[in-house]
Amino acid sequence: MAAAGTVAVLLPVTVLALLGGEVEVAHCRRQAASMRESGVRIAVGTDSNPGTAPCRSMQVAMALGCRLFGLSCAEAILAGTANAAAALGLAGRAGSLARGCPADLVIWDAGSYEEIPYRIADDRAKLVFKGGLPVAPAGVRGAPGEHGVGLTCREGR
């Protein structure tokens, strides 16, 4: 997978929804560790749908990626931004911040980036931008978890 440039997409919400209390965390962690050791890029997605993953929150997906698959907070954020964009064929146009690129991002009320996946479903979005323009001012939140993690393009890629 690494040699082919494939991005493996983990769907931790689906794992939890389908397996419930039967989730074998050790198996999930072994799979993620095998991908990591093989150099496979890992993305995290919500797989939002009414049947197997009734959740739109990337924050919840990243948090479960940490808890079920053993991702570090930094890995979960990378998996939910740049690697998720790459999985969608948007590498170089989305997934990271860069000067001169249209910005879709969320400013979080957090003391550290580690709080984003650590706080499960604690929507602390402070400001939301779409195309570089604020769409939700400070103190105004949409539906809980509706905000994704910043996805923007990287200049020159």
Side-chain angles (χ1 to χ4, degrees), residues 9-29 31-32 35 43-49 51-55 60-61 64-65 67-70:
V9 181
L10 304 179
L11 302 172
V13 175
T14 303
V15 169
L16 186 64
L18 291 178
L19 300 177
E22 304 296 319
V23 174
E24 167 136 3
V25 175
H27 174 73
C28 294
R29 289 179 180 222
Q31 294 298 314
M35 288 180 232
V44 169
T46 64
D47 191 28
S48 179
N49 72 77
T52 60
C55 175
V60 168
L64 289 174
R67 284 155 182 81
L68 297 178
F69 290 93

Side-chain angles (χ1 to χ4, degrees), residues 42-83:
I42 297 172
V44 169
T46 64
D47 191 28
S48 179
N49 72 77
T52 60
C55 175
R56 296 181 299 180
S57 173
M58 278 301 291
Q59 183 181 4
V60 168
M62 290 186 304
L64 289 174
C66 293
R67 284 155 182 81
L68 297 178
F69 290 93
L71 301 180
S72 69
C73 292
E75 285 176 314
I77 291 171
L78 179 64
T81 57
N83 288 353

Side-chain angles (χ1 to χ4, degrees), residues 20 25 28 32 36-37 40 44 59 61 68 70 75 90 96 107-108 121 124 126 137 141 157:
V25 175
C28 294
R36 186 184 299 112
E37 290 164 9
V40 175
V44 169
Q59 183 181 4
L68 297 178
E75 285 176 314
L90 298 173
S96 60
I107 306 294
W108 296 88
R124 308 190 97 191
K126 189 170 182 176
R141 291 181 171 86
R157 276 190 170 176

